[in-house]
């Protein structure tokens, strides 16, 4: 499909995008997103073992756990360009990095005219069944597609971006979009859960040896067939969407072999795919520090997505990628010393 409406000139500069196409926010900074609950009240009788909480320090800062109310925060641009993206933060299926990755990415996309939805999915570490995140992922895609008209979104231009464990979630939704992870609830469940394009950023891909050393594998492993069920590369298929992959070679939390295995499977199946391996960057960098190697990925992703007809028209002016890196912040700084518990 052709790209949608061109952004107004006032949206072209300024958001703290790590080396990405930069634009002013399409709505007032700090405006509350719209909350959409994924399931009817009382649909899941179980609840997380503890209350929902947000981490306040270290690698947990901005990360959410204890999710019982699976939901998505929708960031609506003032001038929607017809594309939407569902965002899955990472965290090894024991937390979700909202503040450091998912929310900044949603705000960046929103500044480009893209409707962005940040998903708070249920976590196996909180006592939910391993299939729960994948149920929530499918449901989020279907609900966003069901609301496409009112959101100004083309239902055939809805993508997904996942970070780390969220990359695994996005990958499974992209490859197993028609798997019956849950019984239909309402009319929305008659719609496809297939994303139209996918970004997998420092992703957990495989549950198989020798790539089975992640926290994600441990949390999903209580399901007997988890190795087969949730190894994304095992489910690559001819009718899946194109995929963008980005990872740092020095990632000590998720081996770079995950991205390589995914790319090889995609390439072997003839699926359009683009892989970017950065020399340095570690893990959990979100949008990336401006001027850093990994900080290039948002612009690269946007260019790639536009080449497939998504994300709308390119801005008329781009911020330069060069220059010294900005001082790291908790929201965008790469993590080089993660202990392996936060994929």
């Amino acid at each position: 499909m052709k790209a949608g409406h061109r952004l107004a000139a006032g949206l072209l500069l300024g958001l703290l995008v790590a080396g990405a196409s930069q634009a002013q926010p399409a709505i007032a900074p700090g405006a509350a997103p719209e909350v959409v609950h994924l399931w009817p009240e009382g649909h899941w009788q179980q609840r997380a073992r503890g209350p929902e909480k947000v981490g306040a320090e270290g690698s947990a800062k901005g990360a959410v756990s204890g999710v019982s109310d699976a939901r998505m925060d929708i960031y609506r641009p003032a001038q929607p360009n017809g594309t939407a993206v569902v965002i899955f933060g990472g965290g090894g299926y024991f937390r979700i990095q909202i503040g450091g990755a998912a929310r900044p990415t949603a705000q960046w996309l929103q500044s480009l005219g893209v409707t962005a939805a940040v998903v708070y999915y249920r976590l196996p570490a909180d006592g939910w069944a391993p299939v729960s995140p994948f149920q929530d992922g499918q449901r989020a895609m279907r609900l966003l597609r069901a609301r496409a008209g009112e959101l100004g979104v083309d239902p055939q231009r809805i993508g997904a971006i996942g970070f780390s464990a969220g990359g695994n979630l996005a990958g499974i939704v992209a490859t197993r979009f028609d798997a019956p992870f849950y019984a239909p609830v309402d009319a929305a469940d008659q719609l496809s859960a297939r994303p139209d394009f996918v970004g997998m950023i420092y992703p957990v891909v495989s549950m198989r040896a020798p790539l089975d050393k992640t926290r994600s594998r441990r949390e999903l492993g209580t399901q007997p067939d988890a190795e087969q069920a949730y190894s994304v590369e095992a489910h690559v298929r001819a009718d899946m969407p194109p995929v963008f992959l980005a990872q740092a070679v020095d990632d000590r939390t998720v081996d770079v072999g995950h991205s390589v295995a995914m790319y090889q499977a995609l390439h072997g199946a003839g699926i359009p795919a683009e892989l970017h391996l950065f020399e340095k960057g570690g893990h959990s960098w979100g949008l990336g520090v401006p001027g850093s190697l990994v900080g290039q990925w948002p612009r690269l992703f946007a260019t790639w997505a536009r080449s497939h007809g998504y994300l709308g028209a390119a801005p008329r002016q781009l911020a330069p990628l060069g220059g010294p890196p900005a001082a790291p912040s908790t929201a965008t700084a790469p993590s080089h010393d993660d202990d392996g518990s936060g994929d």
Side-chain angles (χ1 to χ4, degrees), residues 7-331:
L7 290 176
L11 301 179
L12 297 179
L13 297 173
L15 191 69
L16 58 112
V17 192
S21 308
Q22 299 193 11
Q24 292 291 339
I27 60 173
E34 177 185 356
V35 178
V36 174
H37 303 280
L38 298 187
W39 307 98
E41 186 174 359
H43 182 76
W44 303 108
Q45 297 301 314
Q46 177 192 345
R47 294 188 63 81
R49 292 193 183 105
E52 187 168 308
K53 60 184 179 181
V54 181
E57 54 186 285
S59 62
K61 186 171 183 179
V64 175
S65 59
V67 175
S68 289
D69 177 19
R71 63 196 185 276
M72 56 183 170
D73 287 350
I74 298 182
Y75 293 77
R76 301 179 65 165
Q79 296 179 317
N81 63 21
T83 295
V85 174
V86 176
I87 303 169
F88 303 107
Y93 291 115
F94 76 102
R95 62 191 184 203
I96 310 168
Q97 187 45 260
I98 300 293
R103 185 184 300 125
T105 300
Q107 292 168 335
W108 162 58
L109 290 167
Q110 179 189 39
S111 79
L112 301 179
V114 175
T115 302
V118 173
V119 181
Y120 291 68
Y121 52 90
R122 292 168 295 143
L123 299 164
D126 289 327
W128 294 100
V131 72
S132 300
F134 308 103
Q135 294 171 330
D136 294 346
Q138 283 188 340
R139 179 72 172 167
M141 290 298 308
R142 288 169 172 145
L143 283 180
L144 197 61
R145 191 158 271 133
R147 298 191 57 190
E150 66 184 271
L151 292 171
V153 168
D154 183 332
Q156 296 184 47
R157 290 171 60 191
I158 300 178
I161 293 177
F163 298 87
S164 198
N168 177 261
L169 175 47
I172 290 297
V173 172
T175 56
R176 302 189 64 194
F177 51 85
D178 52 1
F181 287 140
Y182 64 92
V185 173
D186 52 30
D189 288 325
Q190 304 306 310
L191 301 175
S192 175
R194 177 187 181 275
D196 294 298
F197 58 101
V198 179
M200 298 173 68
I201 314 303
Y202 45 89
V204 175
V205 171
S206 185
M207 304 290 134
R208 299 166 166 176
L211 300 173
D212 58 347
K213 307 301 190 294
T214 61
R215 177 69 180 264
S216 297
R217 174 65 176 88
R218 189 193 324 167
E219 296 297 344
L220 296 176
T222 58
Q223 181 173 319
D225 67 343
E227 181 177 311
Q228 170 62 23
Y230 306 131
S231 289
V232 185
E233 81 281 12
H235 299 285
V236 167
R237 52 196 278 185
D239 57 348
M240 68 175 290
V243 178
F244 176 96
L245 294 144
Q247 191 170 4
V249 174
D250 67 347
D251 189 332
R252 295 201 296 262
T253 300
V254 176
D255 190 281
V256 71
H258 285 264
S259 289
V260 173
M262 186 65 186
Y263 179 80
Q264 289 177 329
L266 292 164
H267 182 68
I271 306 301
E274 185 161 309
L275 169 63
H276 293 274
L277 297 181
F278 301 104
E279 180 184 354
K280 296 180 180 179
H283 190 74
S284 195
W285 18 271
L287 285 176
V289 174
S292 68
L293 293 174
V294 295
Q296 300 176 86
W297 85 262
R299 181 179 293 176
L300 293 167
F301 173 80
T303 301
W304 171 83
R306 290 187 181 109
S307 78
H308 287 278
Y310 305 112
L311 245 63
R316 296 171 186 167
Q317 182 175 347
L318 296 177
L321 287 174
S329 71
T330 56

